[in-house]
């Protein structure tokens, strides 16, 4: 007797913004999935470095998604695959210009901000080289661009009144901005949208503090202490 296709399996880490984007999209589309955690902060260097995971993801990062008999890596590739193969609850507008606006915002966040402030980059730079200031600079610079884009595209959410892939990317990046103590006062539209999305069930379920691998003390405090707090 056939049991039907296997659920998608997401390799994820609670604090990874790239994993969070994918969790947002899976939840918004109503796709049931299983979760396998990959501890990036494990004392021996992180589970992403072991041989088993390297076979799945040669980049040795999260996320990776096992779906339809294949492994996909890189969050934006995963998001577009979900959009193209699971047409329910679309996360791209029908209008071509609006679709381009969504992709603009995604690109600024995923290529122009997040890579410059991720854990690997900051570890390489090191605290002695002002890694915190580096992260703050790139987030603020990117958010200036996002805020200007939102001035022309936003309705209730990033592009009009429909939740899109841009919103999936925005929320994790705002979390990171708070983590690195960026002054969010200038970004009125951006923070308004983040507040609205914070109350959405799909985004709540995807939040780092609600993940099974989030350390209990952090989940209880509902705050994520920056590694630079003591610096």
């Amino acid at each position: 007797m056939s049991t039907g296709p296997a659920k998608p399996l997401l390799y994820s880490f609670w604090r990874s913004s790239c994993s969070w984007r994918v969790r947002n999209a899976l939840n918004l589309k109503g796709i049931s999935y299983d979760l396998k955690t990959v501890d990036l902060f494990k004392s021996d260097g992180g589970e992403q470095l072991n041989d088993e995971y390297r076979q799945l993801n040669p980049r040795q990062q999260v996320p990776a998604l096992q779906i339809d008999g294949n492994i996909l890596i890189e969050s934006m590739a995963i998001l577009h695959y979900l959009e193209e193969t699971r047409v329910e609850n679309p996360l791209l507008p029908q209008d071509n210009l609006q679709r381009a606006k969504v992709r603009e915002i995604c690109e600024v966040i995923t290529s122009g901000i997040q890579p410059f402030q991720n854990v690997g980059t900051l570890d390489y730079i090191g605290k002695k080289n002002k890694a915190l200031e580096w992260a703050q600079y790139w987030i603020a610079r990117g958010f200036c661009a996002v805020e200007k884009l939102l001035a022309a595209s936003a309705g209730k959410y990033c592009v009009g009144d429909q939740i899109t892939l841009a919103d999936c990317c925005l929320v994790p990046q705002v979390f990171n901005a708070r983590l690195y103590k960026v002054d969010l006062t200038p970004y009125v539209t951006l923070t308004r949208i983040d507040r609205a999305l914070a109350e959405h069930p799909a985004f709540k379920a995807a939040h780092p503090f609600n993940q099974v691998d989030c350390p209990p003390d952090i989940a209880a405090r509902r705050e994520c202490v920056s590694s630079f707090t003591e610096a």
Side-chain angles (χ1 to χ4, degrees):
M1 180 178 177
S2 174
T3 59
K7 280 185 185 179
L9 175 62
L10 178 64
Y11 293 81
S12 174
F13 179 62
W14 69 277
R15 217 189 82 177
S16 160
S17 57
C18 299
S19 300
W20 189 354
R21 297 168 195 159
V22 176
R23 296 195 302 262
N24 285 337
L26 288 165
N27 293 346
L28 286 163
K29 284 185 162 293
I31 299 170
S32 180
Y33 64 97
D34 291 324
L35 188 73
K36 184 172 178 61
T37 63
V38 179
D39 187 352
L40 304 187
F41 292 165
K42 201 169 182 180
S43 59
D44 61 0
E47 292 178 337
Q48 77 278 15
L49 303 178
N50 67 36
D51 290 339
E52 180 183 357
Y53 190 71
R54 188 184 296 117
Q55 295 302 314
L56 292 173
N57 187 346
R59 287 274 288 155
Q60 297 176 275
Q61 296 176 341
V62 289
L65 183 67
Q66 184 174 321
I67 188 169
D68 300 337
N70 301 293
I71 294 287
L72 296 174
I73 66 171
E74 297 297 331
S75 61
M76 290 310 300
I78 293 169
L79 294 183
H80 284 295
Y81 182 83
L82 294 176
E83 185 67 8
E84 291 163 2
T85 61
R86 274 67 174 174
V87 298
E88 299 83 3
N89 305 317
L91 296 174
L92 282 172
Q94 290 297 311
D95 178 79
N96 286 334
L97 179 59
Q98 285 194 320
R99 291 167 80 92
K101 292 297 181 184
V102 169
R103 292 184 173 114
E104 275 183 340
I105 295 166
C106 290
E107 188 70 18
V108 172
I109 293 170
T110 63
S111 297
I113 304 177
Q114 191 275 333
F116 294 101
Q117 53 86 97
N118 68 16
V119 171
T121 300
L122 297 181
D123 283 348
Y124 183 80
I125 293 170
K127 292 182 184 180
K128 291 182 181 178
N129 291 314
K130 299 185 178 180
L132 177 58
E133 289 86 348
W134 168 281
Q136 291 172 334
Y137 170 79
W138 287 107
I139 294 171
R141 178 173 176 171
F143 273 6
C144 285
V146 172
E147 185 73 12
K148 289 177 182 177
L149 291 173
L150 293 175
S153 69
K156 186 176 180 182
Y157 304 115
C158 284
V159 179
D161 295 330
Q162 173 189 350
I163 295 177
T164 67
L165 297 180
D167 301 293
C168 292
C169 295
L170 178 70
V171 170
Q173 190 56 61
V174 176
F175 179 91
N176 283 352
R178 294 192 177 103
L179 175 67
Y180 294 124
K181 306 185 188 310
V182 174
D183 179 12
L184 296 177
T185 307
Y187 315 116
V188 177
T189 307
L190 184 154
T191 52
R192 172 184 63 76
I193 294 168
D194 177 70
R195 287 193 300 272
L197 291 167
E199 299 305 314
H200 192 288
F203 285 85
K204 279 187 173 181
H207 195 283
F209 298 153
N210 294 323
Q211 303 312 299
V212 296
D213 55 331
C214 179
D217 59 327
I218 290 176
R221 290 200 311 268
R222 308 301 289 178
E223 64 178 343
C224 191
V225 178
S226 170
S227 59
F228 298 102
T229 300
E230 69 281 2

